[in-house]
Amino acid sequence: MPETVRVIRGEHEETYLIAEEQGDGTLLLRPQPPAPAVPPTPRPQPPTPDAATDAVLEVQGLTVAYGAKVAVSEVSFRIARGEIFGLLGPNGAGKTSTLSAVEGLLKPRTGTVLVDGMDIRRDPGPAKARMGVQLQATSFQAELTINQIIELYAGLYGVRLSDEEVTGKLRETGLGAEADKPFKQLSGGQQQRLSLQIAVIHDPVLLLLDEPTAGLDPQSRRQLWGRIEHLRQEGGSILLTTHSMEEAQAVCDRVAIIDHGTLLTAETPRNLIEKHKDDPRVRAVAHGAVTLEDVFIGLTGSEVRD
């Protein structure tokens, strides 16, 4: 390695290489070349989300039976973080049994259900704490006011809310003016909005909605759709069942069709229509452009079921 000397002139200091040392001790110097620039260390990038590892709900090989009757057979699907997933099927197709298994309300014959990585059977407490549930029809204590109901269920979930926070949550759902009204005096749409607020009061990562807009007028239905989309934008995932194909096509990122306990398909609504638009069963029931409802009826049949 070449020898160097430092030369100080006033307040400036420079480093030179010794090019040659002559007989009388004189040194011939040349400026030291600048050190090569060191490229900055790149910042580590966050891992790309992966559907297999970022699933909020993962159902694998789920089979549910009531005695000899098999209601759900080897059903598997997953819901990604921030996804709205619709589970569609005729009456008696296996939707309710699937939801009941996901909620941990019944023990499946085989299969696993993981909620944010927690097994619903091995760790039921932590798994259920990550879920919120809104049923098709929810009844709260008739004489309690909305304020009292919010405070009651927040306490049951271990959530501390100040009066200002309760007021803010009611305003979010358009119920601020009804805070002191008893539950029995609420309209159907107001009851559904309150039910949804209770379902998410503990900030669950997964929200289960069973026919959330059944019986609502168009205005209340659209308002609830907006609320569901807002929850998704905040990072929540939603699994909903519905008989409204319009609703499923409008709000769901993906839909799965289940019939006779078997999962027939799972796609985005657009891909599902594109995939089956030329199916003779679908063409037979379509009137004009193929819709999601046409695909649903084509795959599950036209007969009315109880």
Side-chain angles (χ1 to χ4, degrees):
M1 182 175 178
E3 293 184 274
T4 60
V5 295
R6 289 184 297 170
V7 178
I8 300 174
R9 298 187 181 96
E11 298 179 352
H12 299 285
E13 178 180 319
E14 296 182 34
T15 301
Y16 291 85
L17 296 175
I18 301 176
E20 182 182 345
E21 182 176 358
Q22 298 183 345
D24 60 359
T26 304
L27 298 177
L28 296 179
L29 306 179
R30 67 168 184 265
Q32 183 179 35
V38 178
T41 304
R43 296 178 60 183
Q45 296 296 315
T48 302
D50 182 277
T53 58
D54 204 41
V56 168
L57 174 66
E58 187 165 5
V59 177
Q60 277 292 339
L62 184 69
T63 296
V64 176
Y66 303 95
K69 178 178 174 54
V70 177
V72 178
S73 178
E74 291 293 324
V75 164
S76 299
F77 62 90
R78 61 165 54 98
I79 300 177
R81 202 169 301 277
E83 182 179 26
I84 301 177
F85 187 91
L87 185 61
L88 314 179
N91 291 331
K95 301 188 304 296
T96 299
S97 294
T98 299
L99 280 185
S100 296
V102 170
E103 294 166 20
L105 299 180
L106 58 79
K107 180 180 178 180
R109 177 179 289 178
T110 61
T112 58
V113 175
L114 301 180
V115 180
D116 204 23
M118 308 296 296
D119 191 304
I120 193 68
R121 292 175 62 188
R122 294 179 182 175
D123 300 292
K128 290 179 181 179
R130 288 163 165 76
M131 270 189 259
V133 181
Q134 181 186 14
L135 303 177
Q136 180 177 345
T138 301
S139 181
F140 296 104
Q141 294 85 340
E143 303 298 330
L144 292 183
T145 67
I146 295 180
N147 255 336
Q148 291 171 330
I149 292 171
I150 291 283
E151 292 171 355
L152 171 63
Y153 281 87
L156 292 175
Y157 279 114
V159 177
R160 293 182 177 273
L161 295 176
S162 66
D163 292 342
E164 293 76 14
E165 288 172 323
V166 172
T167 300
K169 288 184 178 296
L170 291 178
R171 284 176 181 164
E172 286 177 8
T173 52
L175 295 172
E178 319 296 334
D180 296 319
K181 184 178 286 189
F183 177 77
K184 65 182 180 180
Q185 295 181 11
L186 301 183
S187 67
Q190 290 173 333
Q191 290 182 6
Q192 284 293 75
R193 277 182 274 153
L194 176 61
S195 176
L196 182 59
Q197 181 61 67
I198 295 298
V200 300
I201 201 166
H202 57 303
D203 295 323
V205 297
L206 176 65
L207 178 62
L208 307 181
L209 303 177
D210 188 10
E211 296 285 342
T213 60
L216 298 185
D217 60 39
Q219 291 85 353
S220 297
R221 187 168 64 248
R222 289 293 179 92
Q223 188 175 57
L224 195 62
W225 288 357
R227 181 65 179 153
I228 291 171
E229 176 61 30
H230 176 71
L231 293 171
R232 184 260 286 280
Q233 290 175 358
E234 292 184 334
S237 301
I238 294 102
L239 169 60
L240 67 85
T241 67
T242 180
H243 285 299
S244 169
M245 298 301 111
E246 175 198 8
E247 181 171 77
Q249 191 165 346
V251 305
C252 293
D253 300 304
R254 287 189 302 139
V255 295
I257 297 178
I258 187 173
D259 195 21
H260 300 295
T262 300
L263 200 67
L264 303 181
T265 186
E267 296 275 359
T268 66
R270 177 177 294 182
N271 288 349
L272 199 57
I273 293 170
E274 184 65 25
K275 181 178 179 180
H276 295 280
K277 66 180 181 181
D278 295 323
D279 188 315
R281 297 171 297 172
V282 174
R283 296 304 312 174
V285 298
H287 300 281
V290 173
T291 65
L292 183 60
E293 183 170 298
D294 296 328
V295 173
F296 178 81
I297 294 176
L299 295 182
T300 61
S302 302
E303 67 276 8
V304 177
R305 306 186 198 177
D306 296 327

